[in-house]
Amino acid sequence: MLYGRYSFSILFEDNAILPEYKGSTFRGVFGHALKMVVCALKRQDCLDCLLREKCIYPYTFETTPRPVTHDDPVRVSSPPHPYVIEPPDNVKTRYAKGDLFEFSLVLFGQANEHLPYFVYAFEQMGQTGIGKYVSGHRPSFVLKSVTAAGQTVYTDESKKITSGHFTEDLSLACFETPDRFSRVELNLLTPLRFKYENHFINASLPFHVLIRAMLRRISSLCEYYGDGEPHLDYRGLVERAKGIEIGESSIRWYDWRRFSNRQDQAMLMGGMIGNVTYTGDLTEFLPLIRFCEKVHVGKQTTFGLGKFALKTLT
């Protein structure tokens, strides 16, 4: 699966007020800006649009499930979107005119080929503004630069996408290692939310529950944006994961609120944050964890939720 992580740097032209968790805000404005940029027929509903199958907007924001056939059954009921927005790891809410703000856009598969449209959409977002209204309008910004893989992709001086190799081929094989691991620590950097047996996990995080979520994430991304669902012993992995024990845990539930324009209401989007240590024979699970460390795991990953950092311990 092609994987690209692009770092955006913007400069505020006005004083700005943003929420503590900014991923949802940027995701919402990004969607409106992209539709404005690419929509040829200017329709409000994409479902019946003649150009839907070739349009970047529904591909990005309204990903359609693949038809299930007898020869090629697909277990993914809700297809993943081909992107993740990673906001900065801070709760700063007030920015002054002239302040820089950085975030990342992660793209999967063919979405990387549409990078110029995404860059242009963020550039247009700067004119529309973002955050709370200040003095009667949303604060504007200038997209200063985009970088990836240590290379410059775009600058506001050139207004062009430079040529270069900005992606990598991401697969479980990339993370295979002959080393043995018996203890790892996960730092949940942004709220992790997913259900197990129809209930949100909110206090403890058993390893087999986490592995189930990771297997769903990996299989769905590879099915839609890679070379197909990986051939894994899914049931066996889950069973063996039940033998991994929790060592130490500081996991807690963190609630944050976002406003949904589509539903016209505020919504609580809580999830788990904190650290957890696992002990046992973890070697075969390391590729799964490393893969999800780059692509996030759980629900609402497009907002940047489910981001974590892995630390191997001896």
Side-chain angles (χ1 to χ4, degrees), residues 65-69 72-74 224:
R66 291 180 180 176
V68 177
T69 66
D72 185 25
V74 178
Y224 275 82

Side-chain angles (χ1 to χ4, degrees), residues 72-91:
D72 185 25
V74 178
R75 294 188 293 176
V76 181
S77 58
S78 181
H81 297 296
Y83 74 97
V84 169
I85 293 177
E86 293 184 337
D89 295 331
N90 63 58
V91 294

